[in-house]
Protein backbone atom coordinates (compact mmCIF):
# COMPACT_ATOMS: atom_id res chain seq x y z
CA UNK A 1 0.00 0.00 0.00
CA UNK A 2 3.00 2.29 -0.35
CA UNK A 3 2.46 5.14 -2.83
CA UNK A 4 5.48 6.95 -4.28
CA UNK A 5 5.73 9.96 -6.58
CA UNK A 6 8.75 9.52 -8.84
CA UNK A 7 9.83 12.81 -10.40
CA UNK A 8 12.74 14.28 -12.30
CA UNK A 9 13.47 16.75 -15.06
CA UNK A 10 13.58 15.93 -18.74
CA UNK A 11 16.66 13.83 -19.52
CA UNK A 12 17.18 12.78 -15.91
CA UNK A 13 16.33 9.10 -16.49
CA UNK A 14 13.15 9.12 -14.42
CA UNK A 15 11.19 6.85 -16.74
CA UNK A 16 14.13 4.42 -16.90
CA UNK A 17 14.02 4.08 -13.10
CA UNK A 18 10.23 3.65 -13.24
CA UNK A 19 10.69 0.79 -15.70
CA UNK A 20 13.25 -0.87 -13.43
CA UNK A 21 10.86 -0.70 -10.48
CA UNK A 22 8.02 -2.01 -12.63
CA UNK A 23 10.20 -5.01 -13.43
CA UNK A 24 10.69 -5.55 -9.69
CA UNK A 25 6.96 -5.55 -9.02
CA UNK A 26 5.80 -1.94 -8.75
CA UNK A 27 2.53 -0.84 -10.32
CA UNK A 28 3.54 2.25 -12.33
CA UNK A 29 1.05 4.97 -13.21
CA UNK A 30 2.57 7.23 -15.89
CA UNK A 31 1.44 10.87 -15.85
CA UNK A 32 2.59 11.49 -19.43
CA UNK A 33 0.70 8.49 -20.79
CA UNK A 34 -2.36 9.52 -18.81
CA UNK A 35 -2.03 13.03 -20.27
CA UNK A 36 -1.99 11.58 -23.77
CA UNK A 37 -5.25 9.79 -22.95
CA UNK A 38 -7.08 12.85 -21.60
CA UNK A 39 -5.76 14.89 -24.53
CA UNK A 40 -6.55 12.19 -27.06
CA UNK A 41 -9.70 11.85 -29.19
CA UNK A 42 -12.65 11.88 -26.84
CA UNK A 43 -10.40 12.79 -23.91
CA UNK A 44 -11.80 14.99 -21.16
CA UNK A 45 -9.34 17.86 -21.81
CA UNK A 46 -9.06 17.92 -25.60
CA UNK A 47 -12.23 19.93 -26.26
CA UNK A 48 -11.20 22.55 -23.68
CA UNK A 49 -7.80 22.90 -25.37
CA UNK A 50 -9.49 23.29 -28.74
CA UNK A 51 -11.72 26.06 -27.39
CA UNK A 52 -8.79 27.87 -25.73
CA UNK A 53 -6.44 27.73 -28.75
CA UNK A 54 -8.75 27.72 -31.73
CA UNK A 55 -6.35 27.59 -34.65
CA UNK A 56 -3.85 24.86 -35.34
CA UNK A 57 -3.69 22.88 -32.11
CA UNK A 58 -6.08 20.13 -33.23
CA UNK A 59 -5.45 18.34 -36.52
CA UNK A 60 -8.13 17.73 -39.13
CA UNK A 61 -8.59 14.14 -37.99
CA UNK A 62 -9.34 15.33 -34.46
CA UNK A 63 -6.01 14.56 -32.75
CA UNK A 64 -3.91 17.04 -30.81
CA UNK A 65 -1.16 18.81 -32.73
CA UNK A 66 1.40 18.48 -29.96
CA UNK A 67 4.16 20.31 -31.80
CA UNK A 68 1.95 23.34 -32.43
CA UNK A 69 0.73 23.43 -28.84
CA UNK A 70 4.25 23.01 -27.45
CA UNK A 71 5.46 25.89 -29.61
CA UNK A 72 2.85 28.09 -27.97
CA UNK A 73 3.09 27.10 -24.32
CA UNK A 74 6.85 26.66 -23.96
CA UNK A 75 7.44 30.21 -25.17
CA UNK A 76 4.90 31.92 -22.91
CA UNK A 77 4.48 31.24 -19.17
CA UNK A 78 0.90 32.56 -19.22
CA UNK A 79 -0.05 30.15 -22.00
CA UNK A 80 1.68 27.32 -20.14
CA UNK A 81 -0.34 28.18 -17.03
CA UNK A 82 -3.55 28.15 -19.05
CA UNK A 83 -2.75 24.69 -20.38
CA UNK A 84 -1.88 23.42 -16.91
CA UNK A 85 -5.20 24.71 -15.56
CA UNK A 86 -7.01 22.57 -18.13
CA UNK A 87 -4.92 19.43 -18.11
CA UNK A 88 -3.78 18.95 -14.52
CA UNK A 89 -7.23 18.38 -12.94
CA UNK A 90 -8.17 15.99 -15.74
CA UNK A 91 -4.89 14.09 -15.48
CA UNK A 92 -5.15 13.84 -11.69
CA UNK A 93 -8.71 12.47 -11.85
CA UNK A 94 -7.53 9.76 -14.26
CA UNK A 95 -4.40 9.01 -12.20
CA UNK A 96 -6.40 8.76 -8.98
CA UNK A 97 -8.77 6.31 -10.64
CA UNK A 98 -5.84 4.12 -11.72
CA UNK A 99 -4.25 4.17 -8.28
CA UNK A 100 -7.52 3.33 -6.53
CA UNK A 101 -8.15 0.47 -8.97
CA UNK A 102 -4.65 -0.97 -8.43
CA UNK A 103 -4.94 -0.83 -4.63
CA UNK A 104 -8.41 -2.36 -4.77
CA UNK A 105 -6.98 -5.27 -6.72
CA UNK A 106 -3.88 -5.60 -4.51
CA UNK A 107 -3.93 -3.71 -1.17
CA UNK A 108 -0.24 -4.56 -0.64
CA UNK A 109 0.87 -3.06 -3.96
CA UNK A 110 3.66 -0.53 -4.32
CA UNK A 111 2.32 2.27 -6.51
CA UNK A 112 4.84 4.44 -8.37
CA UNK A 113 3.40 7.61 -9.86
CA UNK A 114 5.81 8.61 -12.63
CA UNK A 115 5.29 12.39 -12.82
CA UNK A 116 7.66 14.99 -14.31
CA UNK A 117 5.78 18.01 -12.95
CA UNK A 118 5.47 17.46 -9.20
CA UNK A 119 6.91 20.63 -7.69
CA UNK A 120 4.73 23.73 -7.72
CA UNK A 121 1.49 22.18 -8.95
CA UNK A 122 -0.43 21.81 -5.70
CA UNK A 123 -0.32 18.04 -5.31
CA UNK A 124 3.22 17.63 -4.03
CA UNK A 125 2.25 15.38 -1.11
CA UNK A 126 -0.54 13.21 -2.50
CA UNK A 127 1.77 10.19 -2.24
CA UNK A 128 3.28 8.78 0.94
CA UNK A 129 6.80 9.47 -0.31
CA UNK A 130 8.51 11.38 -3.12
CA UNK A 131 11.63 10.32 -5.01
CA UNK A 132 13.60 12.58 -7.36
CA UNK A 133 16.03 11.53 -10.08
CA UNK A 134 18.74 14.14 -10.65
CA UNK A 135 21.51 14.52 -13.20
CA UNK A 136 24.01 17.17 -14.22
CA UNK A 137 22.51 19.61 -16.73
CA UNK A 138 25.19 19.00 -19.37
CA UNK A 139 24.60 15.27 -19.13
CA UNK A 140 20.85 15.82 -19.57
CA UNK A 141 21.43 18.03 -22.61
CA UNK A 142 23.71 15.42 -24.17
CA UNK A 143 21.09 12.71 -23.59
CA UNK A 144 18.34 14.82 -25.16
CA UNK A 145 20.38 15.70 -28.23
CA UNK A 146 21.41 12.07 -28.69
CA UNK A 147 18.19 10.21 -27.93
CA UNK A 148 15.52 12.74 -28.94
CA UNK A 149 17.28 14.64 -31.67
CA UNK A 150 16.88 18.00 -29.92
CA UNK A 151 19.21 20.90 -30.54
CA UNK A 152 21.21 22.05 -27.53
CA UNK A 153 19.16 25.24 -27.49
CA UNK A 154 15.86 23.35 -27.46
CA UNK A 155 17.09 20.94 -24.79
CA UNK A 156 18.23 23.77 -22.54
CA UNK A 157 14.93 25.61 -23.04
CA UNK A 158 12.97 22.53 -21.95
CA UNK A 159 15.18 22.09 -18.89
CA UNK A 160 14.84 25.77 -17.98
CA UNK A 161 11.04 25.56 -18.25
CA UNK A 162 10.89 22.96 -15.46
CA UNK A 163 11.59 23.03 -11.74
CA UNK A 164 15.24 22.77 -10.71
CA UNK A 165 16.75 19.69 -9.09
CA UNK A 166 17.07 21.68 -5.86
CA UNK A 167 13.36 22.58 -5.90
CA UNK A 168 12.34 19.00 -6.50
CA UNK A 169 14.81 17.68 -3.95
CA UNK A 170 13.41 19.88 -1.20
CA UNK A 171 10.07 18.05 -1.27
CA UNK A 172 11.49 14.57 -1.85
CA UNK A 173 12.28 11.86 0.67
CA UNK A 174 14.91 10.17 -1.48
CA UNK A 175 17.15 11.52 -4.25
CA UNK A 176 18.81 9.26 -6.82
CA UNK A 177 21.77 10.66 -8.76
CA UNK A 178 21.98 9.51 -12.39
CA UNK A 179 25.23 11.02 -13.63
CA UNK A 180 26.89 7.71 -14.56
CA UNK A 181 25.94 4.94 -16.98
CA UNK A 182 22.79 2.83 -17.19
CA UNK A 183 24.36 -0.02 -15.23
CA UNK A 184 25.06 2.31 -12.32
CA UNK A 185 21.57 3.79 -12.19
CA UNK A 186 20.10 0.29 -12.40
CA UNK A 187 22.20 -0.74 -9.41
CA UNK A 188 21.08 2.38 -7.52
CA UNK A 189 17.40 1.82 -8.41
CA UNK A 190 17.55 -1.84 -7.39
CA UNK A 191 19.25 -0.93 -4.12
CA UNK A 192 16.56 1.67 -3.42
CA UNK A 193 13.90 -0.95 -4.12
CA UNK A 194 15.32 -3.66 -1.87
CA UNK A 195 16.70 -1.48 0.94
CA UNK A 196 14.11 1.30 1.08
CA UNK A 197 10.88 0.66 -0.85
CA UNK A 198 10.25 -2.95 0.19
CA UNK A 199 11.00 -2.32 3.91
CA UNK A 200 8.87 0.85 3.77
CA UNK A 201 5.93 -1.11 2.38
CA UNK A 202 6.47 -4.00 4.81
CA UNK A 203 6.40 -1.59 7.75
CA UNK A 204 3.07 -0.17 6.57
CA UNK A 205 1.55 -3.58 6.00
CA UNK A 206 2.87 -5.28 9.15
CA UNK A 207 3.00 -2.23 11.45
CA UNK A 208 6.56 -3.09 12.44
CA UNK A 209 9.44 -0.70 11.70
CA UNK A 210 13.05 -1.71 11.25
CA UNK A 211 15.90 0.75 10.66
CA UNK A 212 17.67 0.45 7.34
CA UNK A 213 20.57 2.03 5.53
CA UNK A 214 21.11 2.63 1.83
CA UNK A 215 24.32 1.12 0.55
CA UNK A 216 24.63 2.78 -2.87
CA UNK A 217 26.48 6.10 -3.13
CA UNK A 218 23.96 7.51 -5.63
CA UNK A 219 21.17 7.44 -3.03
CA UNK A 220 20.58 10.31 -0.63
CA UNK A 221 17.89 10.42 2.05
CA UNK A 222 16.32 13.78 2.86
CA UNK A 223 16.33 13.93 6.68
CA UNK A 224 14.78 17.40 6.88
CA UNK A 225 11.84 17.08 9.27
CA UNK A 226 10.21 19.99 7.44
CA UNK A 227 9.27 17.70 4.55
CA UNK A 228 7.24 15.52 6.88
CA UNK A 229 5.62 18.48 8.57
CA UNK A 230 4.59 19.74 5.13
CA UNK A 231 3.14 16.35 4.17
CA UNK A 232 1.14 16.12 7.40
CA UNK A 233 -0.15 19.66 7.03
CA UNK A 234 -1.09 18.93 3.42
CA UNK A 235 -3.20 16.09 4.81
CA UNK A 236 -5.05 18.49 7.08
CA UNK A 237 -3.14 17.75 10.28
CA UNK A 238 -1.69 20.34 12.62
CA UNK A 239 1.90 19.22 13.18
CA UNK A 240 4.78 20.66 15.14
CA UNK A 241 8.29 19.46 15.85
CA UNK A 242 9.44 19.05 19.44
CA UNK A 243 12.35 17.31 21.12
CA UNK A 244 11.54 13.61 21.06
CA UNK A 245 9.23 13.68 18.05
CA UNK A 246 6.25 15.35 16.45
CA UNK A 247 2.99 16.43 18.03
CA UNK A 248 -0.02 16.16 15.74
CA UNK A 249 -3.71 16.99 15.80
CA UNK A 250 -6.19 15.65 13.30
CA UNK A 251 -7.76 12.49 11.88
CA UNK A 252 -5.90 9.22 12.25
CA UNK A 253 -6.77 8.42 8.64
CA UNK A 254 -4.63 11.36 7.57
CA UNK A 255 -1.62 9.93 9.39
CA UNK A 256 -2.15 6.60 7.65
CA UNK A 257 -2.32 8.17 4.20
CA UNK A 258 0.85 10.14 4.96
CA UNK A 259 2.84 6.93 5.52
CA UNK A 260 2.58 6.51 9.30
CA UNK A 261 1.26 3.63 11.41
CA UNK A 262 0.20 3.27 15.03
CA UNK A 263 2.83 1.75 17.32
CA UNK A 264 1.52 1.38 20.87
CA UNK A 265 0.82 4.82 22.32
CA UNK A 266 2.59 6.68 19.50
CA UNK A 267 2.77 6.78 15.72
CA UNK A 268 5.79 5.93 13.61
CA UNK A 269 6.86 6.99 10.15
CA UNK A 270 7.25 3.80 8.09
CA UNK A 271 10.26 5.18 6.18
CA UNK A 272 13.09 2.77 7.17
CA UNK A 273 15.79 5.42 6.70
CA UNK A 274 14.38 7.74 9.37
CA UNK A 275 13.67 7.09 13.05
CA UNK A 276 10.71 9.44 13.40
CA UNK A 277 7.76 9.17 15.77
CA UNK A 278 4.74 11.29 16.64
CA UNK A 279 2.19 11.58 19.39
CA UNK A 280 -1.34 12.78 19.02
CA UNK A 281 -2.01 15.78 21.20
CA UNK A 282 -5.17 14.21 22.64
CA UNK A 283 -3.11 11.26 23.92
CA UNK A 284 -0.86 13.61 25.89
CA UNK A 285 -3.79 14.94 27.89
CA UNK A 286 -5.45 11.56 28.41
Amino acid sequence: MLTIALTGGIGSGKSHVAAIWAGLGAHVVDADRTARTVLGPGGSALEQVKRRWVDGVVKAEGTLNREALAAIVFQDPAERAALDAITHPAIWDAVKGKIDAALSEDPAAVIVYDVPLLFGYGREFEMMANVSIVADEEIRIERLTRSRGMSRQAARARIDSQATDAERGRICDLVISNDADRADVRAAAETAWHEWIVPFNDALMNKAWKAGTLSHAALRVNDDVGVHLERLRYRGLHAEHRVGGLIVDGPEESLLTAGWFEEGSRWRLANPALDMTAQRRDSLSA
Side-chain angles (χ1 to χ4, degrees), residues 251-267:
E252 291 186 356
E253 179 63 25
S254 295
L255 275 163
L256 293 170
T257 57
W260 296 68
F261 64 89
E262 197 167 9
E263 184 184 63
S265 62
R266 61 183 180 176
W267 287 73

Side-chain angles (χ1 to χ4, degrees), residues 4-10 12 14-15 18 21 28-35 88 91-92 95 99 111-127 129-133 162-163 168 171-172:
I4 297 171
L6 174 63
T7 192
I10 186 170
S12 65
K14 168 185 60 63
S15 294
W21 287 349
V28 175
V29 177
D30 189 311
D32 284 342
R33 290 180 184 175
T34 305
H88 283 213
I91 293 168
W92 175 249
V95 164
I99 291 173
I111 306 295
V112 174
Y113 178 32
D114 179 352
V115 53
L117 304 178
L118 181 64
F119 178 83
Y121 289 87
R123 296 192 182 275
E124 289 89 343
F125 296 107
E126 287 283 351
M127 304 296 113
N130 297 334
V131 177
S132 179
I133 312 301
Q162 298 180 339
R168 281 185 290 263
I171 62 167
C172 285

Side-chain angles (χ1 to χ4, degrees), residues 27 33-34 107 116 140 144 158 249 262:
H27 184 103
R33 290 180 184 175
T34 305
R140 292 166 64 189
L144 294 170
R158 288 294 298 273
D249 286 307
E262 197 167 9

